[in-house]
């Protein structure tokens, strides 16, 4: 329950910045903004405070499952991979768990990234955007941009899980880790 609340709260705080950044990077935008601040002010002046939070539903729908999926996959991988007997094996094991978790979370939530970005471009509601995407592309929209999304979304998740796991291993006395009494260099 707490991760759901924290993840949702983070989305609420970040949403205006995300919206402004995507608007700034949109090559089809008729306005040529130089800064995120200019983009944010334009959205506010044009659509009010609600405009800064447009796309929030899709953002929450993508973020919460992304992190929940990543944690579940990491835990499943933790149970499936053989135990490490050296610190180096422990790091490789962490890398495998982290990569699987990051890729799974990114692939699962790719459709919500497509929906959110279309909502930003068109300023339409969640349901109207999904209907428009389906009418234009069928279910093909769910894989649109998947390759780029796997890189852009999975790398931060993978790194977060890997470095957290590595830090835990580093701070755990050798006798308590899965690699026995192997001393650290």
């Amino acid at each position: 329950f707490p991760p759901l609340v924290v993840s949702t709260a983070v989305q609420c705080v970040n949403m205006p910045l995300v919206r402004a950044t995507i608007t700034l990077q949109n090559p089809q935008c008729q306005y040529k903004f130089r800064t995120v601040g200019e983009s944010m002010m334009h959205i506010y002046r044009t659509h009010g405070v609600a405009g800064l939070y447009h796309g929030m539903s899709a953002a929450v729908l993508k973020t919460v499952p992304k992190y929940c999926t990543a944690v579940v996959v990491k835990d499943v991988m933790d149970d499936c991979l053989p135990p490490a007997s050296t610190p180096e094996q422990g790091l490789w094991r962490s890398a495998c768990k982290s990569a699987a978790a990051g890729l799974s979370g990114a692939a699962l939530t790719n459709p919500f990234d497509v929906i959110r970005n279309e909502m930003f471009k068109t300023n339409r509601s969640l349901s109207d955007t999904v209907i428009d995407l389906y009418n234009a592309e069928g279910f093909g929209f769910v894989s649109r941009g998947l390759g780029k999304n796997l890189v852009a979304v999975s790398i931060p998740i993978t790194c977060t899980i890997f470095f957290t796991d590595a830090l835990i291993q580093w701070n755990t006395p050798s006798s308590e880790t899965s690699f026995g009494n192997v001393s650290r260099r």
Side-chain angles (χ1 to χ4, degrees):
F1 180 70
L4 173 67
V5 173
V6 170
S7 181
T8 303
V10 167
Q11 283 302 305
C12 290
V13 170
N14 285 338
M15 195 65 206
L17 182 62
V18 170
R19 174 85 198 270
T21 302
I22 291 174
T23 300
L24 179 71
Q25 296 172 4
N26 181 2
Q28 297 169 345
C29 183
Q30 64 186 20
Y31 304 100
K32 300 300 173 204
F33 304 111
R34 293 177 307 198
T35 66
V36 172
E38 284 180 9
S39 176
M40 196 177 295
M41 287 306 299
H42 172 76
I43 294 166
Y44 174 74
R45 286 186 193 117
T46 309
H47 304 287
V49 172
L52 295 170
Y53 289 91
H54 182 71
M56 183 74 181
S57 52
V60 170
L61 286 172
K62 86 178 187 74
T63 301
V64 174
K66 174 175 51 184
Y67 286 104
C68 290
T69 299
V71 170
V72 168
V73 169
K74 179 194 109 26
D75 290 345
V76 167
M77 292 293 292
D78 201 31
D79 293 339
C80 293
L81 291 170
S85 57
T86 67
E88 289 79 14
Q89 287 178 355
L91 290 176
W92 278 108
R93 190 173 191 279
S94 290
C96 290
K97 291 187 302 187
S98 302
L103 288 168
S104 299
L108 176 75
T109 59
N110 185 69
F112 295 111
D113 278 321
V114 174
I115 293 166
R116 184 199 61 191
N117 291 346
E118 281 298 313
M119 287 176 75
F120 290 163
K121 286 194 274 184
T122 63
N123 233 10
R124 295 178 53 92
S125 70
L126 175 67
S127 58
D128 288 345
T129 301
V130 172
I131 290 167
D132 290 348
L133 284 167
Y134 179 76
N135 287 339
E137 301 177 39
F139 285 112
F141 82 87
V142 301
S143 63
R144 185 169 81 181
L146 182 61
K148 291 178 183 176
N149 202 36
L150 285 176
V151 173
V153 174
S154 70
I155 289 175
I157 298 170
T158 299
C159 290
T160 300
I161 293 172
F162 176 77
F163 290 123
T164 301
D165 208 30
L167 186 63
I168 290 168
Q169 288 178 30
W170 180 256
N171 286 321
T172 303
S174 295
S175 60
E176 296 176 24
T177 64
S178 59
F179 9 102
N181 288 323
V182 178
S183 62
R184 293 186 210 107
R185 292 180 219 167

